[in-house]
Amino acid sequence: MGGVFSFLKRYPFVLATVLVAVFAGILAVGPAAEVVPWVLGTFALLMAGRSFVGMVRELRSGSFGVDLLAITAISAAVAVGEYWAALVIVLMLTGG
């Protein structure tokens, strides 16, 4: 059980993403289903913004990664209404 807690402590945004997915899943089967796109889209764009800030810091220090591709994919998925796909991309991004 200690391994689970150390993983969650090390990757808090993975936990947050999973919790948002569970919350949105519960909302999706209830009377508040119309709120699900807002919850997922907002969370995905917030996480993309967080990654964007980190990406700019890395670029300034002279290194770069694939964060730009992930940020573009999240933004595009939200733009076309694929909120669950955006959440999966966020999960991959936060999980490393």
Side-chain angles (χ1 to χ4, degrees), residues 26-37:
I26 292 169
L27 287 177
V29 297
E34 67 275 356
V35 179
V36 171

Side-chain angles (χ1 to χ4, degrees), residues 7-86:
F7 174 82
L8 295 177
K9 188 175 180 181
R10 192 168 171 201
Y11 297 104
F13 294 110
V14 172
L15 175 63
T17 304
V18 171
L19 290 176
V20 167
V22 169
F23 178 68
I26 292 169
L27 287 177
V29 297
E34 67 275 356
V35 179
V36 171
W38 289 99
V39 171
L40 295 177
T42 301
F43 180 76
L45 291 176
L46 285 172
M47 294 306 291
R50 178 189 160 276
S51 294
F52 180 78
V53 169
M55 182 190 67
V56 169
R57 287 185 188 143
E58 285 182 14
L59 287 173
R60 285 186 176 169
S61 70
S63 63
F64 61 92
V66 296
D67 290 347
L68 181 60
L69 180 62
I71 293 166
T72 304
I74 292 167
S75 302
V78 170
V80 298
E82 294 292 338
Y83 305 105
W84 288 101

